[in-house]
Amino acid sequence: MAKRQLLDIDAACEIVLDGVQALDPEQTDLKQAGGKFTVESAVSPVDIPGFDNSIMDGFAVRAADTAEASPALKVDLVIAGESRAGTPFGGTLEPGQAVTISTGAPIPDGADAVIQKELVTAEGGRLTLSSRVEAGHDIRRRGEIAKKGQEILPGGTALGAIGMGALASIGVDSVSCHRKPRVSLLTSGDELVEPGERLGPGQIWNSNRYSVSALIHEAGAELVSYGNVMDDRQATIDALELALESDLTVICGGVSVGDHDHVRPSLAELGVEQQFWGLALKPGRPTWFGQRDGSRVLGLPGNPVSALVVFRLLAMPLLRMLAGGGPPGARGTARLTGPVERLGGRLRAVPCRPDPEGAPGDLAPMPQLGSHDFLSLVGATHLALITPGAGRAEPGDVVETLPLGEG
C-alpha cells in the first residue's frame, strides 16, 4: 500500500472552514440566549440611567441651602420625606428642606446635591449640617452610562455573563442570534463502557464522550445526539445515518486502517465525500474530514489526547464560525521553560501549563506517556505548537500557542 500524504494542519483548517457561513438567525428570548452570537448590534432604547439618582445613602438637598454651613455655623434643614429606590419622593424640594435618600433613588425635583448620611446629624425631623456641599455632589446623571441610540454590543458578540447583563440593563428581553450548531457525537469501540460500570476483560471507561461533549458546549454548540457504536459495519452505518442530520458529526475512533475500523467505508457508503484523511500532526495523524449536503463530519482518533487536540484545532474554529463568531483569531505565543523534541515531518501539539517558577506567561511542557494518557492533561491550559524539524525546541524558545478552552 502506498504511503498516504499527510496534510499540514493549517491547510486542513482552510479546508474545514472553506465556504462556512453562519447559521440562520433566530429571535431568541434573552433567558435562552446564553452562549449564542448576536446577529446585529444592540443599541440602547433609552438613556441609562433613565433619571438622576443618588450615589450614596444620605440626604438630597439644595446646594444653596448649605452655602453658609461650617463647623462654627451649623445649618438646620427640615426633612420633608424620603426617596427610596423604586419609590421616589412625590413632591418638590422647597428652600430649607431635605429629603432622606437611598443609593440609586431618584433625585427629587428641586434638589441638586446629595450629602452622605455619615456627615450629618438627623434627629426629630431635622437635619443638621456643618459643611457645605456643591451642586451635583454624589449624583449620577441621566444618560451618563449610555445615551438613547448608543451602541451597546456589536453584532457577532458571544453572549456570556457580561453581554447578557448589558442587554438586560437596557431592557432587551429578546435578541436576534445565530442558531447554535447542532452536533452529533459518536464514540466507537467494543472496549468502551460508561463510567460507573464494571470493567470487563480488555475494557476501558469512555472518557471521550465526556471530554468532547464538554468541548462541544464550550464551543457554543448544542449536542443533539450521542451514541457509542460497537465494532460492527452495519451498526456503524445505522448510527452515522442518523447522526448526519446534524450540522457536524464528530466520531471518536474507528477512522484508521484496522480490521475493525468501519467508519470510513461506512461514510463512503452513505455518500459522505472525503476531503482529507491524515494530518501531519502529533497527536492526531489519523484524522478524517468530509461533507455531505452541507453536513460536515470530523473523524477523530480514538486516543483521548488526540481527540481533544484535533477538536481544539479544527472543530472549535468551525463551530465558532457556524455560530456566527467569525474566523479564528491569531494564535498566541509563549516562552517554553522545558525542552520538546521536534518531529521531522509533523507538527507537535504539546499540552502545557503555566510555569510557577518562570516569568508571567511562560509555559512548561507537561510530560506524557502517549496520546492515551489523558490524565497528563490535568492542569494544562495551552497547546504549544512545535514546528517540524531536527533537534528540539529548547527552554527559552518562543513558540505559537493556543488556549485549550474557547476557540
Side-chain angles (χ1 to χ4, degrees):
M1 175 192 271
K3 185 175 180 180
R4 72 179 186 273
Q5 184 71 34
L6 300 179
L7 192 64
D8 172 86
I9 188 64
D10 290 329
C13 196
E14 286 185 14
I15 292 172
V16 170
L17 300 182
D18 182 48
V20 174
Q21 298 290 325
L23 297 170
D24 293 339
E26 55 186 12
Q27 199 66 23
T28 305
D29 186 285
L30 185 61
K31 293 187 288 293
Q32 308 300 323
K36 293 187 176 183
F37 285 84
T38 60
V39 175
E40 304 164 339
S41 62
V43 300
S44 181
V46 295
D47 291 337
I48 303 294
F51 49 87
D52 292 352
N53 65 88
S54 178
I55 294 175
M56 295 284 183
D57 288 337
F59 296 87
V61 298
R62 297 171 71 250
D65 288 342
T66 74
E68 304 299 326
S70 69
L73 182 63
K74 294 180 169 49
V75 170
D76 286 345
L77 302 175
V78 176
I79 299 175
E82 182 179 12
S83 181
R84 298 170 55 189
T87 308
F89 176 70
T92 298
L93 196 67
E94 301 293 341
Q97 292 183 334
V99 167
T100 305
I101 196 164
S102 305
T103 302
I107 302 297
D109 290 342
D112 61 2
V114 171
I115 187 164
Q116 191 173 337
K117 184 177 183 180
E118 292 85 348
L119 301 180
V120 297
T121 300
E123 188 175 357
R126 301 187 71 83
L127 182 69
T128 302
L129 303 86
S130 58
S131 61
R132 64 180 294 169
V133 62
E134 300 293 333
H137 185 68
D138 278 345
I139 293 178
R140 297 189 186 100
R141 293 300 184 188
R142 173 175 178 161
E144 70 175 29
I145 294 175
K147 298 292 187 184
K148 180 179 179 179
Q150 179 179 331
E151 183 181 79
I152 304 302
L153 293 178
T157 297
L159 290 179
I162 294 173
M164 297 276 282
L167 292 176
S169 296
I170 61 173
V172 170
D173 64 349
S174 69
V175 60
S176 180
C177 296
H178 293 285
R179 176 174 65 77
K180 284 188 175 185
R182 295 189 292 260
V183 182
S184 296
L185 173 62
L186 296 175
T187 56
S188 175
D190 292 346
E191 75 278 13
L192 300 176
V193 299
E194 287 297 297
E197 296 181 10
R198 185 185 298 274
L199 292 178
Q203 291 184 321
I204 59 173
W205 286 300
N206 186 356
S207 65
N208 279 335
R209 171 180 183 177
Y210 296 90
S211 61
V212 176
S213 292
L215 289 170
I216 289 168
H217 290 299
E218 282 182 32
E222 180 184 2
L223 181 62
V224 294
S225 68
Y226 165 76
N228 184 59
V229 184
M230 306 301 283
D231 293 325
D232 175 82
R233 175 71 173 270
Q234 190 57 51
T236 302
I237 291 171
D238 293 343
L240 286 170
E241 191 166 23
L242 291 175
L244 286 168
E245 296 177 5
S246 58
D247 299 303
L248 173 66
T249 298
V250 178
I251 309 155
C252 300
V255 295
S256 193
V257 295
D259 292 339
H260 304 291
D261 290 330
H262 300 295
V263 169
R264 290 185 301 107
S266 297
L267 288 168
E269 185 167 329
L270 290 169
V272 182
E273 180 183 356
Q274 175 180 307
Q275 295 190 283
F276 64 78
W277 175 39
L279 297 178
L281 174 70
K282 181 176 181 179
R285 178 164 59 180
T287 299
W288 190 98
F289 181 74
Q291 295 192 53
R292 188 190 75 176
D293 299 330
S295 178
R296 295 164 174 85
V297 179
L298 181 63
L300 305 176
N303 279 327
V305 178
S306 302
L308 182 143
V309 165
V310 177
F311 191 99
R312 175 62 187 86
L313 288 167
L314 296 181
M316 281 280 201
L318 170 61
L319 291 174
R320 180 181 174 84
M321 286 189 66
L322 287 170
R331 296 169 183 165
T333 59
R335 191 170 69 107
L336 295 179
T337 61
V340 178
E341 294 294 329
R342 297 183 187 275
L343 295 174
R346 286 193 286 163
L347 181 77
R348 287 195 72 177
V350 180
C352 297
R353 61 173 177 81
D355 192 333
E357 298 180 1
D362 284 357
L363 294 177
M366 301 181 72
Q368 284 187 301
L369 298 175
S371 58
H372 63 289
D373 180 13
F374 194 81
L375 296 183
S376 67
L377 295 176
V378 175
T381 59
H382 289 75
L383 293 176
L385 305 178
I386 310 301
T387 54
R392 65 183 191 177
E394 299 289 354
D397 285 355
V398 175
V399 300
E400 284 194 315
T401 62
L402 278 176
L404 265 175
E406 181 182 351

